[in-house]
């Protein structure tokens, strides 16, 4: 049986062995009045750490389990299934993922940009609770291992601490992206708990949150030195480096360090860019050599209708097949050259209702007929990070720091595996080089949850194409109010500090 099942069973066993009253995983927001239904308590974690050296690793793995958990945002919505659920929200808001048909209406409010203007909408709460759930679980693991300022000496504990700090930074990073229009260091943006507590807190400034992320990731990189992870669902040194690069890019500072971090990942030579012939292979296997971070989904996970595959994939006999179609924005599609291998990822028959669905980028099983997949028991894997995005981040960082030759080389490394001739890149410089890096980021990582992050870094204007059923042909600036999510109503009601801060 695959690793994720073993880990899940171990976690469940630990949870029930050490406490009848408390369960393992946190399901709360940050507010003290939004109490969890499932969480790892500090007492459990400390007891486990003291009695069994394998417990810290198991508890760290418990954080990752939340990334695929249905309902991890505290709702019964069929859009609530962990990180990949957040990715769909972001891709649709960015405009690069077009909702082209909506028989079941799960993403209507997102596509209409109603959610981002209305704090009563449940989608805001799903995002908020999911990431703060990760924060709380990471804080609990950190406390169990000695606290924020303690450095474990046992390798297993060091590696668990490194993963927990990296995951805390990961959660705060996404919170900053979803809930702040753009980086303003003095703006009060989010409560920032760093202890395993449910106490209400006021908002911290963006500078304070970013400083914490940088501190956590710097320490994680050091703590994870020598960590040979068992599965790709775990964060290792290279994932922490890449997360750090994302933080620096969003903060718009120290692009030289951003370039260094991403170059270190590239130079590790552990992951390899997909070939032209493999960009239509389904993106469904965690063992793909380009995948840096992802999870091995097995039928026993019980994923089906309520999953990323169920919502996007036409082969999975779910919403992506039955009439809730997500396709590439037609304007973006038209910018892909005819000789680019990635053009073939999308269904090109303009007379079909499936026009521009990613039928050949994402499919649950090779050779399967559309709609032939199982409603439960999917075994197609989830991707969180690929080496291609590291090359693109490296190109961006070098271009912004003035090292344009290195930027062109990193961009060429990808494009030589996508188009027959990359010599056009040699003529690019200044804004034209940055524009090309942004375009290739959108094309390469389409449907993988990265377009929204890039939109904010590049301060882009979203130009929705004609194939969106809502807001078609509209142009929207990255920092308009409707491009950023709202702190949910119940969090504001339950946290008096947020009321005092007029949020």
């Amino acid at each position: 049986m695959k690793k994720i099942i073993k880990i899940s069973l171990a976690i469940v066993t630990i949870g029930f062995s050490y406490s009848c009253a408390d369960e393992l995983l946190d399901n709360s927001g940050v507010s003290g009045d939004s109490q969890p239904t499932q969480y790892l308590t500090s007492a459990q974690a400390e007891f486990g750490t003291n009695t069994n050296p394998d417990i810290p690793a198991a508890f760290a793995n418990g954080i990752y389990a939340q990334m695929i958990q249905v309902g991890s945002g505290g709702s019964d919505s069929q859009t609530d299934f962990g990180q990949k659920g957040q990715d769909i929200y972001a891709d649709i808001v960015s405009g690069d993922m077009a909702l082209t048909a909506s028989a079941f209406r799960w993403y209507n409010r997102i596509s209409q940009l109603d959610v981002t203007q209305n704090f009563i909408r449940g989608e805001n709460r799903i995002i908020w609770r999911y990431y703060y759930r990760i924060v709380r679980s990471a804080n609990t693991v950190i406390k169990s291992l000695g606290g924020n300022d303690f450095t474990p000496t046992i390798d297993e504990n060091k590696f668990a601490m490194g993963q927990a700090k990296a995951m805390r930074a990961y959660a705060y990073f996404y919170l900053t992206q979803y809930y702040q229009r753009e980086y303003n260091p003095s703006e009060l943006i989010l409560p920032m708990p760093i202890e395993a507590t449910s106490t209400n807190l006021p908002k911290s400034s963006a500078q304070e949150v970013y400083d914490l992320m940088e501190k956590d990731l710097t320490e994680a990189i050091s703590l994870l030195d020598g960590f040979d992870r068992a599965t790709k669902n775990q964060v290792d040194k290279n994932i922490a480096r890449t997360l750090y690069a994302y933080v620096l890019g969003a903060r718009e500072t120290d692009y030289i360090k951003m370039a260094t971090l991403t170059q270190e990942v590239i130079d590790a030579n552990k992951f390899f860019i997909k070939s032209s012939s493999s960009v239509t292979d389904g993106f469904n296997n965690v063992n793909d050599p380009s995948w840096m971070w992802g999870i091995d989904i097995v039928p026993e996970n019980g994923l089906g209708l309520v999953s990323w595959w169920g919502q996007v994939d036409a082969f999975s006999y779910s919403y992506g097949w039955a009439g809730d179609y997500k396709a590439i924005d037609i304007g973006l599609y038209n910018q892909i050259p005819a000789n680019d291998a990635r053009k073939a990822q999308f269904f090109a028959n303009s007379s079909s209702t499936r026009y521009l669905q990613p039928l050949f980028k994402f499919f649950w099983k090779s050779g399967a007929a559309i709609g032939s997949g199982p409603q439960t028991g999917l075994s197609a894997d989830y991707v969180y990070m690929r080496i291609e995005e590291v090359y693109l981040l490296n190109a961006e960082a070098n271009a912004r720091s003035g090292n344009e030759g290195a930027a062109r080389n990193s961009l060429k490394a990808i494009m030589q595996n996508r188009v027959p001739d990359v010599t056009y890149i040699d003529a690019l410089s200044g804004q034209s080089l940055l524009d090309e890096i942004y375009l290739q980021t959108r094309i390469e990582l389409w449907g993988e949850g990265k377009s929204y992050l890039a939109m904010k870094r590049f301060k882009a204007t979203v130009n929705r194409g004609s194939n969106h059923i809502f807001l078609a042909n509209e142009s929207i600036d990255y920092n308009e109010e409707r491009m950023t999510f709202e702190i949910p109503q119940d969090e504001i009601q339950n946290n008096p500090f947020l009321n005092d801060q007029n949020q």
Side-chain angles (χ1 to χ4, degrees):
M1 190 174 290
K2 296 185 180 180
K3 288 282 186 182
I4 184 62
I5 297 301
K6 293 179 181 177
I7 290 168
S8 298
L9 289 175
I11 290 166
V12 170
T13 300
I14 292 162
F16 283 104
S17 295
Y18 293 155
S19 175
C20 296
D22 297 322
E23 294 176 320
L24 180 65
L25 299 176
D26 176 24
N27 195 33
S28 69
V30 67
S31 166
D33 292 311
S34 298
Q35 289 300 316
T37 58
Q38 292 182 310
Y39 60 92
L40 167 63
T41 67
S42 298
Q44 281 179 325
E46 290 179 27
F47 180 76
T49 301
N50 292 332
T51 58
N52 187 334
D54 294 329
I55 295 301
F59 283 146
N61 284 323
I63 303 174
Y64 304 125
Q66 297 170 81
M67 296 180 73
I68 66 165
Q69 184 180 350
V70 173
S72 56
S75 80
D76 59 2
S77 168
Q78 297 201 14
T79 68
D80 183 359
F81 41 82
Q83 178 57 46
K84 299 305 290 183
Q86 323 304 325
D87 286 349
I88 296 176
Y89 288 162
D91 278 340
I92 291 177
V93 172
S94 79
D96 284 353
M97 180 177 281
L99 186 65
T100 62
S102 181
F104 299 91
R105 299 178 294 177
W106 284 114
Y107 291 93
N108 283 15
R109 295 193 305 227
I110 287 286
S111 186
Q112 291 166 331
L113 301 181
D114 168 66
V115 167
T116 52
Q117 302 173 79
N118 193 339
F119 74 164
I120 71 169
R121 298 305 188 195
E123 291 86 347
N124 292 302
R125 185 173 182 267
I126 288 170
I127 297 169
W128 184 270
R129 285 173 64 86
Y130 168 72
Y131 287 110
Y132 274 111
R133 181 182 182 184
I134 298 289
V135 167
R136 178 165 175 162
S137 295
N139 284 341
T140 301
V141 173
I142 290 167
K143 183 177 187 298
S144 76
L145 293 167
N148 286 291
D149 299 322
F150 181 74
T151 301
T153 55
I154 300 171
D155 280 349
E156 289 78 5
N157 291 355
K158 283 174 55 181
F159 300 152
M161 179 74 89
Q163 291 173 77
K165 288 194 172 183
M167 288 301 294
R168 181 167 67 183
Y170 143 87
Y172 277 125
F173 171 69
Y174 275 96
L175 286 165
T176 64
Q177 298 308 286
Y178 287 140
Y179 293 101
Q180 187 182 30
R181 295 190 196 184
E182 58 187 322
Y183 181 65
N184 174 354
S186 62
E187 182 183 0
L188 299 177
I189 56 170
L190 300 164
M192 192 181 71
I194 60 170
E195 301 292 345
T197 176
S198 58
T199 302
N200 282 317
L201 295 173
K203 289 181 180 179
S204 293
S205 69
Q207 179 172 334
E208 290 170 324
V209 179
Y210 275 82
D211 284 350
L212 175 68
M213 290 190 286
E214 288 204 48
K215 181 176 184 291
D216 275 351
L217 289 166
T218 298
E219 292 174 1
I221 290 167
S222 176
L223 290 163
L224 291 169
D225 190 35
F227 176 49
D228 185 13
R229 60 184 179 174
T231 62
K232 284 187 180 180
N233 74 288
Q234 298 171 309
V235 168
D236 66 1
K237 191 172 185 175
N238 289 311
I239 309 305
R241 284 168 169 157
T242 307
L243 289 171
Y244 198 170
Y246 270 113
V247 170
L248 292 173
R251 198 170 194 174
E252 304 174 39
T253 186
D254 206 344
Y255 291 116
I256 292 175
K257 186 171 187 176
M258 180 180 173
T260 299
L261 287 163
T262 48
Q263 191 62 50
E264 287 171 346
V265 177
I266 293 167
D267 291 345
N269 205 36
K270 291 187 174 183
F271 311 100
F272 306 96
I273 294 171
K274 292 176 74 68
S275 66
S276 293
S277 61
S278 68
V279 296
T280 53
D281 67 0
F283 285 70
N284 55 23
N285 189 343
V286 74
N287 295 316
D288 187 298
S290 75
W291 286 30
M292 297 172 57
W293 191 21
I295 191 160
D296 188 3
I297 302 295
V298 295
E300 289 84 353
N301 292 131
L303 297 186
L305 290 171
V306 187
S307 67
W308 183 93
W309 290 97
Q311 288 290 359
V312 176
D313 174 36
F315 297 88
S316 296
Y317 200 69
S318 187
Y319 295 109
W321 162 75
D324 271 16
Y325 298 159
K326 292 90 179 170
I328 188 172
D329 175 87
I330 193 169
L332 180 58
Y333 176 77
N334 288 337
Q335 292 183 76
I336 306 175
N339 63 357
D340 189 319
R342 297 167 299 186
K343 192 96 171 179
Q345 293 175 334
F346 305 97
F347 189 52
N349 183 353
S350 60
S351 64
S352 171
T353 58
R354 298 190 182 279
Y355 183 46
L356 301 186
Q357 274 193 277
L359 300 187
F360 311 107
K361 179 172 184 177
F362 302 115
F363 49 84
W364 81 278
K365 184 177 181 181
S366 178
I370 287 178
S372 64
Q375 292 190 45
T376 60
L378 282 172
S379 58
D381 300 333
Y382 280 171
V383 59
Y384 302 138
M385 187 181 289
R386 288 195 288 131
I387 191 63
E388 286 85 350
E389 65 195 84
V390 178
Y391 277 90
L392 288 161
L393 287 168
N394 182 263
E396 179 185 339
N398 279 310
R400 294 189 188 281
S401 63
N403 192 353
E404 293 190 340
R408 286 189 287 266
N409 287 339
S410 288
L411 186 57
K412 282 182 181 179
I414 293 176
M415 295 308 296
Q416 68 188 6
N417 288 286
R418 303 294 179 261
V419 296
D421 184 5
V422 298
T423 56
Y424 78 95
I425 295 174
D426 293 327
L428 300 177
S429 63
Q431 190 60 47
S432 66
L433 178 57
L434 282 169
D435 289 345
E436 183 67 13
I437 294 167
Y438 178 49
L439 175 63
Q440 296 309 326
T441 298
R442 296 169 64 201
I443 295 170
E444 180 66 29
L445 303 175
W446 185 90
E448 298 177 50
K450 305 301 166 65
S451 290
Y452 183 81
L453 307 179
M455 175 197 74
K456 290 203 165 184
R457 290 198 312 277
F458 284 88
K459 302 183 183 298
T461 297
V462 170
N463 297 300
R464 287 195 172 202
S466 59
N467 62 330
H468 294 253
I469 59 174
F470 302 111
L471 306 179
N473 302 311
E474 286 206 24
S475 294
I476 309 165
D477 289 337
Y478 74 98
N479 59 355
E480 285 190 28
E481 179 183 0
R482 54 184 171 162
M483 300 303 283
T484 302
F485 291 87
E486 296 283 335
I487 295 177
Q489 179 185 33
D490 64 345
E491 192 66 29
I492 293 171
Q493 291 172 336
N494 292 328
N495 185 343
F497 292 111
L498 299 188
N499 279 315
D500 291 343
Q501 293 169 319
N502 296 316
Q503 293 290 333

